Amino acid sequence: MIDWSGYLGLILQGALVTVELTVMGSALALVMAFAAGLGRLSRFAVIRMLATVYIEFFRGTSIFVQLFWAYFVLPFAGITLTPLQAGVLALGLNVGAYGAEVVRGAVRAIGREQHEACVALNLGRYHRMRHVILPQALPLMLPTFGNNAIELLKGTAVVSLISLTDMTFQAQVVRAQTGSTLIPFATILVLYFAMATAISAGVRWLERRAARGLDGVRV
């Protein structure tokens, strides 16, 4: 008989790594999404070009290749990352590129009259974006941001390829040691689903909060 308590504890330890990777990767993705998304709307051609290159490059190349570059190739340039750092960097930059288009699209969806009202109030570009445009655009972004966060969560499984002990890696270890495939992979299936459900619930809560006070506002 196999004592599953120790093996399941191993998978739960991996789940903590997965959560850590998801949280940090999502934070980086959010920063990159706003930086590149607003960069695409910049008055300056150089900034628009740099934002476009970043978005197209990371959307147009494989996350596997990006991860291997971060972990195996960057050391040749003198930049050595831990598996966790490489995973956060690759996932954050990859998902951030998709999020950037969400930001750009949401900002452009705000009605022209809102921009005209800002001009009438003599608001500068920063205050216009900070106090008028982004608060209205945020509720439009959140559903897709939630989808992106869930995709990032599922994408964390690729970091097992560089020996980061996330729960997919630990499930493979348990499978190798016990010979059982069903129990370890059924366990991580349930854990992934539970984490995705928590993200969905959190995003729906944020949507409700972000939409407060915007009733009747034309966007």
Side-chain angles (χ1 to χ4, degrees), residues 1 17 19 37 40 43 55-56 62 64 81 84 89 105 112 118 127 143 155 183 194 202 205:
M1 295 295 291
V17 175
V19 170
R40 286 288 305 274
R43 293 176 296 174
I55 291 169
E56 296 303 326
S62 167
F64 291 97
L81 302 176
L84 180 63
L89 182 65
R112 182 179 177 183
C118 292
H127 292 288
I183 293 179
W205 178 78

Side-chain angles (χ1 to χ4, degrees), residues 23-24 33 50 60 64 78 82 89 93 96 105 117 131 146 162-163 166-167 178 202 205 212:
V23 171
M24 292 194 293
L50 290 174
F64 291 97
T82 66
L89 182 65
L93 292 178
H131 297 291
I162 58 172
S163 301
D166 72 316
M167 60 183 178
T178 64
W205 178 78
R212 288 178 184 173

Side-chain angles (χ1 to χ4, degrees), residues 32-55:
M32 296 306 300
F34 276 96
L38 296 178
R40 286 288 305 274
L41 302 172
S42 174
R43 293 176 296 174
F44 304 104
V46 173
I47 295 178
R48 291 198 305 271
M49 181 190 69
L50 290 174
T52 301
V53 168
Y54 158 69
I55 291 169

Side-chain angles (χ1 to χ4, degrees), residues 126-189:
Y126 170 78
H127 292 288
R128 186 187 316 170
M129 188 65 66
R130 167 68 178 81
H131 297 291
V132 179
I133 304 304
L134 283 181
Q136 295 180 58
L138 186 59
L140 303 178
M141 302 176 196
L142 283 174
T144 309
F145 277 173
N147 289 337
N148 289 347
I150 292 173
E151 287 299 319
L152 191 150
L153 166 67
K154 294 186 291 185
T156 59
V158 303
V159 301
S160 62
L161 296 173
I162 58 172
S163 301
L164 181 61
T165 55
D166 72 316
M167 60 183 178
T168 299
F169 180 90
Q170 299 289 33
Q172 292 171 343
V173 170
V174 172
R175 175 181 175 274
Q177 293 183 0
T178 64
S180 172
T181 299
L182 175 62
I183 293 179
F185 285 101
T187 301
I188 67 170
L189 187 70

